[in-house]
Amino acid sequence: MGSGCIKVTKYFLFLFNLLFFILGAVILGFGIWILADRSSFISVLQTSNNLKIGAYVFIGVGAVTMIMGFLGCIGAVNEIRCLLGLYFAALLLILVAQVTAGVLVYFHTDKVKEEMNTIVNNLILTYDPDNPQQAAIQDTWDYVQSQVKCCGWTSYLNWTENINLMNRSVTTYPCSCNNDSFSEMEEGSIIRSGFCYVFNNTQSNNDPKDWPVYTEGCMEKVQMWLRDNLGIILGVCIGVAVTELLGMMLSICLCRHIHSEDYSKVPKY
């Protein structure tokens, strides 16, 4: 292999590792976002053990990917054979782990959906504006209903299972489900929460048919939001996998060159 080709291989490997480092940072950041987010539907699901495990996996893979990208950059620039060999082995292990994680996610999709249904239905069932311990997760669900323009999970009738709401003697409904013009005017600035009342209603009981709310449930819209975000993450993961394969190929080429042609650049200890 000519010296010109070796230089091209070395600097291409450096660029791929730099890209690898950046993609690792993106994966790491996504894992941290899952655990730390307080303003989207993800925070509602943070009680899910599967989601937490997935977040820790993303953080671990992202951190290892960044470390490998850093070692690969050093190995490529300085042509250190042992680092390139370690880099190749680590890339192979990460690639196998990614494929395994992808298979597990694919076969556990139904379980995740079932757990998501349980979490949201339980949130609606126990929703209580006077309970400060649940204020954070309830505010998040109010945000989801208000922004997505939906009510309940499968439909607004899910709220009829909330005893605290249905025991009211006047027409009472979740404020974040309100579909009147005031809600549209205030959208993006004020997210109403808790329970609201219809004072001009002559009914002496709380009939859901009198609620001025969206009738469509949030399930389909939320699942579509999750699919869209999952598509972005899968795209990043595919980009990482392609970078890994190219990095493995380039590291082998450079490693073979160091072994067969020039020992002078390899540090002697």
Side-chain angles (χ1 to χ4, degrees), residues 105-179:
V105 169
Y106 177 80
F107 285 106
H108 284 78
T109 301
D110 293 336
K111 185 177 180 180
V112 172
K113 287 183 179 180
E114 182 180 347
E115 190 173 11
M116 183 167 60
N117 293 340
T118 302
I119 291 173
V120 175
N121 285 322
N122 184 64
L123 170 61
I124 293 174
L125 180 66
T126 60
Y127 188 100
D128 183 1
D130 298 324
N131 186 355
Q133 295 180 349
Q134 298 188 39
I137 189 172
Q138 289 177 171
D139 288 345
T140 300
W141 182 243
D142 287 329
Y143 177 85
V144 170
Q145 290 188 138
S146 177
Q147 295 299 302
V148 180
K149 299 187 187 322
C150 58
C151 190
W153 187 236
T154 56
S155 79
Y156 75 104
L157 294 176
N158 291 135
W159 282 99
T160 61
E161 299 177 9
N162 186 297
I163 297 176
N164 186 19
L165 174 64
M166 298 308 297
N167 282 342
R168 307 298 173 101
S169 58
V170 296
T171 301
T172 309
Y173 61 93
C175 297
S176 57
C177 290
N178 198 313
N179 64 357

Side-chain angles (χ1 to χ4, degrees), residues 37-91:
D37 182 75
R38 293 293 181 271
S39 62
S40 72
F41 182 72
I42 288 295
S43 64
V44 177
L45 301 180
Q46 285 173 352
T47 56
S48 167
N49 290 328
N50 288 327
L51 186 70
K52 288 182 180 179
I53 292 173
Y56 288 128
V57 168
F58 276 119
I59 291 173
V61 170
V64 172
T65 300
M66 292 177 68
I67 293 172
M68 289 302 102
F70 178 73
L71 293 178
C73 286
I74 296 176
V77 171
N78 296 294
E79 298 185 16
I80 303 174
R81 188 167 176 262
C82 62
L83 282 182
L84 292 173
L86 177 63
Y87 172 74
F88 174 84
L91 283 186

